[in-house]
């Protein structure tokens, strides 16, 4: 029996469900059973399956359109509030309200390096706490406010925790973060600076995850865990909305005569043909899948992009299942320098797998060496500084382009999920050490020669 709502939570918003993107409840990704908004909090009580949030897309379609969103003054995830199952969290002017709307830019140089012509990078390292995870934490904090949960706890390899600590600080609420003691120092520093209660666990991320569930149950805290709390994927789906809205803006600026300069039918967005993203627990890729499916069901995009999940060879539980053609995700002993995607048992593995199988995408694995090369390529060729888990997605497109899994004319977006400042040790491994000299011109000449 999966853990149920701790006593003391309201399970629906104090101000009524109708404000919240037509929030209808949940559907289990394993048994398909539906639950009302008040029936469950985290996962399916029958089988522990991850829950998809259900929205009333018919009513959303009647009241919102790409054109109305275009008029939004919010340059953040909150421009999509009508499609989110939460109310506005307030706290204007704080990082809680400035998550998302990260740049999507075309990379002609990297495209040329790979024999591609239409490649875009979306840099989520530019979020307030420097990772994609801000999207999830902002929405979970908004949900916590609505249901009257005070303390929020999460397990984290670092980024989810930093994001929760930052968003909780902005909302003036307590956060408790459990991270493995091996987390990169910059990530631990972020947790501490944001004033969270930080506990480092002498064990793996997976062990920290299980301990968090126990603590949430024992102390009545609200648990944000990735691949457990259904609201994280709702935050993450906003990246899919942004990709489509920004991609549409980008191609509409193309020169007249270009294939993609054809004006779109009014009220529609255009989606790229493929999106590459790294996978640990699998919640980012399932959130993206949900976002693209929402837009497709709304009739705002014609097709859902092919989704490519990239895992490290040292942490490849979902990729292994994909290769076997099976939906059964077997745990591995994770070992990779890409700490953010170092996971034994992906907690959102099934949905992550289906994100690729249901869209004609694929799973690919990349080595730590290929990830380091990707960090260097992104830095040198596009001045983007990515942490290893983010650069893994770029290593994935390098591999896919080489193997002909994408065509040279395909429109491809690579999702870069975290800043390189999070892990400077890995960055130095990628870029090499700087030389030290005496402060004299001859010494400088010698070194330059
Ligand atoms: C930078 C970065 N990239 C990718 C991921 C993978 O996301 P998920 O665990 O949802 O697959 C994470 C998760 O921590 C991350 O921090
Ligand atoms: Zn179920």
């Amino acid at each position: 029996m999966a853990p149920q709502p701790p006593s003391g939570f309201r399970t629906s918003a104090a101000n009524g469900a109708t404000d919240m993107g037509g929030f209808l409840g949940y559907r289990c990704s394993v048994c398909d059973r539906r639950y009302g908004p008040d029936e469950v909090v985290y996962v399916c009580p029958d089988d522990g399956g991850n829950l998809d949030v259900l929205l009333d897309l018919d009513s959303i379609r009647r009241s919102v359109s790409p054109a109305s969103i275009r008029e939004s003054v919010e340059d953040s995830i909150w421009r999509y509030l009508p499609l989110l199952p939460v109310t506005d969290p307030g706290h204007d002017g704080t990082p809680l309200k400035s998550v998302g709307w990260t740049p999507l830019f075309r990379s002609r140089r990297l495209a040329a390096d790979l024999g591609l012509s239409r490649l875009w990078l979306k840099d989520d390292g530019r979020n307030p706490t420097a990772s994609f995870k801000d999207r999830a934490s902002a929405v979970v904090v908004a949900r916590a406010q609505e249901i009257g949960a005070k303390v929020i706890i999460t397990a984290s390899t670092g980024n989810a925790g930093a994001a929760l600590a930052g968003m909780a600080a902005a909302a003036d609420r307590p956060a408790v973060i459990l991270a493995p003691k091996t987390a990169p120092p910059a990530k631990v520093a972020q947790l501490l600076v944001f004033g969270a209660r930080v506990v480092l666990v002498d064990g793996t991320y997976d062990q920290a995850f299980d301990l968090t569930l126990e603590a949430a149950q024992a102390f009545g805290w609200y648990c944000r865990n990735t691949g457990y709390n259904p609201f994280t994927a709702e935050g993450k789906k906003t990246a899919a909305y942004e990709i489509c809205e920004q991609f549409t803006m980008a191609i509409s600026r193309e020169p007249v005569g270009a294939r993609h300069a054809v004006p779109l039918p009014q009220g529609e967005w255009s989606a790229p043909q493929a999106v590459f993203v790294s996978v640990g627990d699998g919640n980012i890729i399932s959130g993206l899948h949900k976002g693209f499916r929402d837009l497709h069901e709304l009739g705002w995009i014609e097709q859902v992009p092919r989704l490519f999940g990239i895992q490290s060879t040292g942490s490849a539980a979902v990729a292994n299942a994909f290769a076997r053609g099976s939906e059964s995700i077997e745990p591995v002993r994770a070992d990779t320098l890409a700490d953010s995607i170092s996971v034994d048992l992906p907690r959102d593995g099934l949905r992550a797998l289906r994100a690729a199988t249901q869209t004609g995408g694929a799973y690919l694995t990349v080595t730590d060496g290929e990830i380091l090369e990707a960090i260097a390529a992104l830095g040198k060729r596009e001045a983007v500084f990515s942490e290893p888990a983010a650069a893994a997605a770029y290593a994935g497109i390098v591999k896919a382009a080489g193997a002909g899994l994408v065509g040279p004319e395909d429109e491809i977006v690579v999702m870069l999920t975290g800043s390189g400042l999070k892990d400077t040790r890995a960055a130095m491994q990628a870029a090499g050490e700087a030389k030290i000299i005496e402060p004299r011109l001859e010494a400088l000449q010698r070194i330059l020669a």
Side-chain angles (χ1 to χ4, degrees):
M1 175 84 178
Q4 281 311 292
S7 55
F9 287 6
R10 295 188 297 270
T11 43
S12 56
N15 50 355
T18 47
D19 300 317
M20 302 189 298
F23 176 32
L24 297 177
Y26 309 92
R27 183 174 47 224
C28 172
S29 57
V30 173
C31 68
D32 252 5
R33 193 173 149 191
R34 285 170 173 246
Y35 296 94
D38 298 346
E39 279 183 274
V40 283
V41 177
Y42 300 120
V43 291
C44 176
D46 288 343
D47 50 34
N50 292 110
L51 299 176
D52 286 323
V53 166
L54 298 173
L55 300 177
D56 185 352
L57 292 176
D58 289 334
S59 94
I60 292 173
R61 193 182 296 110
R62 282 194 296 273
S63 57
V64 194
S65 67
S68 69
I69 289 175
R70 196 185 169 149
E71 299 302 312
S72 171
V73 293
E74 298 279 357
D75 49 2
S76 70
I77 61 170
W78 304 109
R79 66 195 284 107
Y80 308 109
L81 185 61
L83 288 88
L84 293 175
V86 290
T87 43
D88 187 330
H91 309 285
D92 280 335
T94 72
L96 187 57
K97 285 301 285 291
S98 56
V99 172
W101 203 243
T102 55
L104 176 79
F105 55 91
R106 190 161 175 185
S107 171
R108 288 193 163 77
R109 286 197 202 148
L110 289 174
D113 293 350
L114 302 182
L116 302 172
S117 56
R118 306 182 63 78
L119 180 69
W120 281 262
L121 306 176
K122 183 155 174 73
D123 186 8
D124 254 46
R126 314 260 194 116
N127 271 304
T129 80
S131 90
F132 188 106
K133 301 281 171 146
D134 283 344
R135 297 177 183 275
S137 289
V139 169
V140 168
V141 166
R143 176 68 177 164
Q145 287 186 174
E146 284 165 359
I147 62 174
K150 194 160 177 274
V151 180
I152 314 172
I153 184 170
T154 197
S156 173
T157 55
N159 286 335
L164 176 61
M167 299 308 128
D172 197 19
R173 325 192 128 239
V176 180
I177 318 293
L178 270 59
K181 72 169 188 189
T182 50
K187 295 183 180 178
V188 179
Q190 274 189 302
L191 302 174
L192 293 164
V193 163
F194 293 138
R197 193 74 189 268
V198 182
V199 185
L200 298 182
V201 176
D202 187 7
T204 62
Y205 164 68
D206 294 74
Q207 289 170 314
F209 193 105
D210 292 335
L211 182 55
T212 309
L213 302 191
E214 274 184 63
Q217 184 79 355
F219 307 133
W221 294 341
Y222 188 49
C223 183
R224 176 233 175 268
N225 276 11
T226 296
Y228 181 68
N229 186 316
F231 284 77
T232 58
E234 290 298 297
K236 290 171 181 185
K237 76 179 184 180
T238 58
Y241 299 165
E242 285 175 27
I243 287 173
C244 293
E245 191 177 1
Q246 293 173 327
F247 182 71
T248 305
M249 285 158 66
I251 61 175
S252 69
R253 286 194 296 263
E254 295 211 341
V256 179
R259 180 164 70 96
H260 297 274
V262 185
L264 290 162
Q266 245 203 338
E268 274 184 28
W269 284 338
S270 186
Q273 283 155 300
V275 176
F276 281 69
V277 63
S278 63
V279 172
D281 272 318
N283 195 239
I284 292 182
I285 196 170
S286 41
L288 286 170
H289 190 204
K290 172 81 166 11
F292 288 121
R293 271 182 301 153
D294 283 353
L295 298 183
H296 190 244
E297 279 174 46
L298 285 165
W300 297 1
I301 59 173
E302 253 173 41
Q303 100 276 349
V304 170
R306 300 169 72 199
L307 296 179
F308 288 82
I310 313 303
Q311 293 205 285
S312 160
T313 46
S315 174
V318 188
N320 292 344
F322 182 85
R324 284 198 313 273
S326 157
E327 283 207 333
S328 150
I329 317 276
E330 306 295 335
V332 295
R333 268 252 173 111
D335 181 17
T336 169
L337 68 71
D339 64 295
S340 300
I341 50 172
S342 184
V343 171
D344 294 349
L345 177 65
R347 305 293 172 145
D348 204 354
L350 178 60
R351 290 193 304 185
L353 180 71
R354 288 177 180 168
T357 56
Q358 293 180 354
T359 61
Y363 267 82
L364 300 173
T365 57
V366 293
T367 63
D368 282 358
E370 288 165 336
I371 291 173
L372 291 175
E373 281 171 25
I375 292 177
L378 287 164
K380 255 190 224 159
R381 303 292 276 159
E382 287 299 349
V384 176
F385 193 15
S386 281
E387 72 158 282
Y394 181 70
I397 179 63
V398 173
K399 195 155 258 187
L405 292 176
V406 290
E409 292 298 321
D410 285 358
E411 296 145 339
I412 299 162
V413 170
V414 178
M415 192 71 237
L416 299 173
T417 44
S419 163
L421 290 170
K422 298 266 195 176
D423 186 354
T424 51
R425 206 164 71 104
M428 297 298 273
Q429 267 179 271
E433 299 286 331
K435 303 250 177 9
I436 300 172
I437 58 163
E438 299 157 43
R440 289 189 300 110
L441 187 62
E442 307 86 80
L444 180 61
Q445 275 171 329
R446 221 177 306 127
I447 208 105
L448 295 178

